[in-house]
Amino acid sequence: MFLSKKILKSTLKLNNFQRNMSLIKNKAYINGKWTSALNNETFNVLNPVDKSIIGSVPDMNCDDVNLAINSATEAFKTFSKTTAKERSDLLRSWYNLMVKNSEELANILTQENGKSLAESRAEIKYGNSFVEWFSEETRRINGEILQEPMRNRKLMILKQPIGPVALITPWNFPHAMITRKVGAAIAAGCTCVIKPSEDTPLTALALAKLAEDAGFPPGVMNFITTNLNNSPQIGKLLCEDKNIRAISFTGSTAVGKILYQQSASTMKRLSLELGGNAPFIVFESANIDLAVGGAMQCKFRNTGQTCVSANRFFVHNSRFDEFLQKFVDKISQDIKMGDGKKNNITHGPLIKQSQIDMIDHLVIDAINKGAKLHCGGKKLSDLGPLFYAPTVLTEVNRDMEIYHREIFGPVAVIHKFNDENDVLNEANSVNVGLAGYFYSEDLSQIFRVANKMEVGMIGANEGLISCAEAAFGGVKESGIGREGSKHGVDDFLDIKYLCIGNIKY
Ligand code: SIN
């Protein structure tokens, strides 16, 4: 049999890639075993730099997922009885292995997500920190002893793991979004079924391999892989299965709403980290160099494909020209797009065709309706099929689609404002509220604005606010619950009230 030139090229790439990567797996992980789909179907994982094939993984359907649910349910019977110290030790071993294998994890991440190696290394460090954090937090999940209203009673609040849980994670942070959820679930004593995005399953399976090496018992972490076609049925199954007691999902608000509805039949606990539309306000007193630095981090992290990315810039009239000029200059100085595994590259491509088509459409629509383009505004096809130039637009108005959308790409839209109340009204006028940013040197204004901004997270004079210590999550349609911080375990715990009566003193 003859292989076409294209397939032969991909196969060679796959071999070169895999030769250097001991953590690359081509099977899912259920009940402590590396597993193919029951029907043996697979799908390819592509490198967004050139759409070449870098691996293939099982294309699982509901039959496979039922096995994973059974495995997590069975494992919960014993894992829920482990001590916090035992869970802490397991998480610590997993963390140590992640640290040891950071470079390989970063390489896998860059290959399947496209972000630059520098960004992947930062994500691995960030993702690892959640496992370290929850290895510590697990030992502080304490109940309470209450003041009893009657002398012969003792009242207590116990905290118990909620049960087996399903964790559904996105492609934009394939490592950190898993560790932020799994770390908390394991700390609470839950077992998990983990479904990574179809675009980035290899990072997830590398984490499964390290969990196996760390000594997690079979069934405690089950990783299922599936292509987009099967995802809706699998999501529904996870929501409607009575053994799965909680769903934690990071992704779009549209999908979050579907999962919310589907979970009603089983009254499942939901933790939803959904879309944002972050305002980034530069007030009159702002330090403009600081604001430009923050804008660069905040807007272009992961080539703009971040749910806490600045989506709407508002700059005070008196500082507008200065900010715009410095921002555009900084973009041309600091951003070097290309294949993320090359050393000098800062930013990679977008993840897939639908993403770049959407960005291109939004920019063309805005320009056709009168927006002013200051840089970018085009695909960079000579770099690869999914590269889009960092773009700055002004004079954007409500008639343009981009005004109303979470952009999720390297496009900054900058508006002018004059009045604090007006800009806050505008910032709060959307139905989501994940993150918000502002720059001001006026202390009263900092407290006033932070108080009034309708978001779950605020960066005041700071453009990059994520860390394991932070309570990550949004208000309004940006979701429910908090991840990271001491609150991250709450969604995986049941509170049980215990009243011991008739005590004879
Ligand atoms: C996200 O974009 O979903 C997460 C970003 C972060 O954790 O900072």
Side-chain angles (χ1 to χ4, degrees):
M1 197 170 83
F2 295 101
L3 291 172
S4 77
K5 263 190 185 165
K6 198 170 168 202
I7 295 177
L8 192 61
K9 214 172 137 199
S10 313
T11 312
L12 287 175
K13 270 196 183 147
L14 172 76
N15 291 342
N16 286 338
F17 178 53
Q18 291 194 329
R19 198 169 298 137
N20 302 324
M21 302 266 173
S22 62
L23 292 179
I24 287 278
K25 306 301 284 182
N26 60 5
K27 296 224 165 25
Y29 186 68
I30 298 178
N31 202 22
K33 295 196 177 62
W34 293 97
T35 313
S36 302
L38 288 167
N39 62 10
N40 278 321
E41 293 288 319
T42 60
F43 66 97
N44 291 330
V45 185
L46 306 183
N47 183 338
V49 166
D50 54 6
K51 296 192 178 176
S52 60
I53 298 168
I54 51 172
S56 70
V57 294
D59 189 3
M60 296 185 141
N61 61 30
C62 290
D63 294 336
D64 304 280
V65 177
N66 275 320
L67 294 180
I69 295 173
N70 290 344
S71 152
T73 306
E74 207 43 46
F76 183 72
K77 292 177 187 159
T78 44
F79 194 67
S80 54
K81 299 194 182 85
T82 51
T83 65
K85 170 74 172 110
E86 285 165 338
R87 296 195 297 278
S88 174
D89 288 346
L90 277 171
L91 285 169
R92 175 60 66 170
S93 305
W94 195 29
Y95 168 73
N96 287 340
L97 287 173
M98 285 180 196
V99 172
K100 192 167 158 213
N101 291 279
S102 286
E103 197 54 23
E104 186 172 345
L105 288 170
N107 272 294
I108 296 171
L109 211 170
T110 288
Q111 292 275 345
E112 67 175 354
N113 168 283
K115 63 177 74 174
S116 69
L117 258 183
E119 283 204 284
S120 289
R121 288 182 184 126
E123 181 182 338
I124 300 300
K125 203 165 173 207
Y126 173 53
N128 293 352
S129 76
F130 288 109
V131 178
E132 181 187 40
W133 171 262
F134 285 114
S135 76
E136 294 158 357
E137 275 307 291
T138 183
R139 301 190 72 182
R140 290 188 274 273
I141 302 175
N142 296 317
E144 293 166 39
I145 299 195
L146 310 176
Q147 291 291 346
E148 51 276 356
M150 289 157 207
R151 270 159 54 82
N152 62 350
R153 290 190 177 186
K154 209 76 203 157
L155 312 183
M156 281 168 231
I157 284 179
L158 311 178
K159 290 196 182 165
Q160 298 185 322
I162 192 168
V165 298
L167 312 174
I168 307 176
T169 59
W171 47 261
N172 62 344
F173 288 84
H175 176 78
M177 295 306 97
I178 289 182
T179 55
R180 188 155 79 189
K181 293 182 194 304
V182 178
I186 296 289
C190 296
T191 53
C192 322
V193 175
I194 300 144
K195 188 195 114 30
S197 162
E198 64 282 356
D199 296 312
T200 54
L202 297 177
T203 305
L205 295 178
L207 291 176
K209 172 75 182 98
L210 295 178
E212 180 184 44
D213 294 349
F216 278 90
V220 171
M221 279 189 220
N222 302 277
F223 288 76
I224 52 170
T225 52
T226 180
N227 207 349
L228 192 55
N229 291 346
N230 288 327
S231 287
Q233 297 94 290
I234 289 177
K236 188 164 185 287
L237 170 65
L238 292 170
C239 289
E240 292 179 352
D241 186 276
K242 68 178 177 17
N243 288 319
I244 294 291
R245 292 308 315 141
I247 302 258
S248 177
F249 167 73
T250 296
S252 70
T253 298
V255 174
K257 285 182 180 177
I258 295 173
L259 299 177
Y260 202 1
Q261 276 172 347
Q262 290 175 342
S263 295
S265 62
T266 50
M267 284 288 175
K268 221 170 272 323
R269 185 86 58 81
L270 277 166
S271 166
L272 300 173
E273 199 262 275
L274 308 177
N277 188 343
F280 186 108
I281 308 174
V282 181
F283 286 104
E284 201 170 2
S285 68
N287 175 329
I288 294 295
D289 291 331
L290 211 60
V292 168
M296 291 295 293
Q297 289 179 305
C298 186
K299 178 70 241 180
F300 296 111
R301 181 171 171 223
N302 195 21
T303 315
Q305 303 169 110
T306 305
C307 57
V308 288
S309 265
N311 205 53
R312 296 168 293 155
F313 287 85
F314 300 98
V315 181
H316 192 272
N317 219 346
S318 64
R319 313 297 301 275
F320 188 85
D321 293 342
E322 184 189 359
F323 178 86
L324 179 62
Q325 189 57 53
K326 286 189 168 172
F327 189 41
V328 171
D329 288 350
K330 193 100 178 117
I331 289 171
S332 79
Q333 277 158 25
D334 288 7
I335 295 189
K336 180 93 183 84
M337 290 196 132
D339 181 349
K341 66 178 184 301
K342 294 191 183 141
N343 263 340
N344 59 340
I345 296 302
T346 59
H347 291 76
L350 297 169
I351 188 80
K352 54 187 154 193
Q353 196 62 42
S354 54
Q355 202 70 15
I356 192 165
D357 289 347
M358 188 265 291
I359 297 295
D360 199 39
H361 164 76
L362 291 177
V363 172
I364 290 172
D365 173 72
I367 292 172
N368 285 344
K369 291 176 180 162
K372 192 164 170 197
L373 180 68
H374 298 270
C375 63
K378 57 177 191 288
K379 294 180 179 174
L380 299 174
S381 307
D382 46 333
L383 294 179
L386 300 176
F387 286 88
Y388 199 89
T391 298
V392 175
L393 293 172
T394 58
E395 296 175 34
V396 165
N397 63 44
R398 286 175 188 275
D399 295 338
M400 306 169 186
E401 265 185 68
I402 202 163
Y403 187 93
H404 307 277
R405 289 280 302 264
E406 182 183 19
I407 301 169
F408 234 65
V411 180
V413 171
I414 312 184
H415 308 275
K416 277 183 190 165
F417 77 93
N418 275 312
D419 177 72
E420 182 184 300
N421 280 328
D422 289 348
V423 77
L424 273 171
N425 284 338
E426 191 58 35
N428 291 339
S429 67
V430 292
N431 57 3
V432 289
L434 190 59
Y437 307 85
F438 63 91
Y439 282 73
S440 167
E441 297 289 301
D442 173 344
L443 190 61
S444 298
Q445 185 174 51
I446 290 177
F447 280 105
R448 208 165 51 233
V449 171
N451 230 0
K452 289 186 186 163
M453 249 191 191
E454 294 173 3
V455 293
M457 297 173 279
I458 294 187
N461 294 328
E462 190 54 69
L464 191 56
I465 57 175
S466 305
C467 57
E469 291 79 358
F472 195 102
V475 299
K476 301 186 188 169
E477 293 183 16
S478 285
I480 305 172
R482 291 293 178 269
E483 296 190 325
S485 79
K486 69 171 184 173
H487 302 288
V489 293
D490 293 349
D491 285 326
F492 301 108
L493 290 169
D494 271 333
I495 283 181
K496 187 182 274 175
Y497 162 58
L498 169 64
C499 169
I500 305 175
N502 292 296
I503 297 172
K504 298 191 178 39
Y505 286 107

